[in-house]
Amino acid sequence: WVRLTYNGKHVQFMELYGSLLGASVDTTLTGASGSSIRSTTYADRWLVLHRLQLRPTDFLQFDFSESVTYSHRAFDLVFLNPAYPLFTAKANPYNDADLIWYVDGLIRPVRGVELYATLGIDDLKSISDIWTPTGHRSNNDSTTKLMYQAGAKVALHHGTDLQAEYLRIEPYF
């Protein structure tokens, strides 16, 4: 795993690059003498994550995250560049990569109250798909998957939190 982090007063950035254990394939080879050798191989899988957090004030926060998982190729040095946009991993249609984006917002209007929202986007085909209902998207929902989350959290004086949340995943995630 490689992790790079920058923590400033109003800006935080984190990059993570690591390997994942992929699916295994068992192979048995039989030699001319009748002896056999059994081998287990694992597909290389990699995870790359970028997260940018902006906190202009103590009561307002915005986050953008992008992650890509890919396989069937080796460790790629280009992903170690924190300025490299991960969506370019999807530019090659033969590349086995899965890109997911998250956009988050948090506001603290009064002490002890947080309001938050998240939009998760997996395999976006067209930017208009974000606002288009399921069943009417640019590719009949075969790739674009969306996650909408909104909630509120209230901290009580006794050390207890009350939280209400709405989550919608279309068509699946």
Side-chain angles (χ1 to χ4, degrees), residues 52-124:
L52 176 65
Q53 183 179 83
L54 303 173
R55 293 181 309 262
T57 66
D58 288 339
F59 65 87
L60 190 60
Q61 177 178 311
F62 300 102
D63 303 281
F64 174 74
S65 302
E66 62 175 349
S67 69
V68 67
T69 56
Y70 67 92
S71 61
H72 305 295
R73 61 187 176 124
F75 178 84
D76 196 341
L77 285 174
V78 74
F79 286 124
L80 285 177
N81 180 353
Y84 183 75
L86 298 181
F87 69 85
T88 59
K90 295 290 281 188
N92 181 350
Y94 303 105
N95 187 358
D96 187 15
D98 186 28
L99 177 68
I100 298 177
W101 289 319
Y102 289 98
V103 179
D104 307 301
L106 176 106
I107 188 167
R108 295 177 182 95
V110 294
R111 183 177 170 89
V113 176
E114 291 183 347
L115 306 173
Y116 58 90
T118 301
L119 172 64
I121 305 167
D122 186 13
D123 295 327
L124 184 65

Side-chain angles (χ1 to χ4, degrees), residues 12 19 21 24-25 38 73 79 141 171:
Q12 178 185 10
S19 64
L21 187 60
S24 65
V25 176
R38 183 169 181 249
R73 61 187 176 124
F79 286 124
D141 301 326

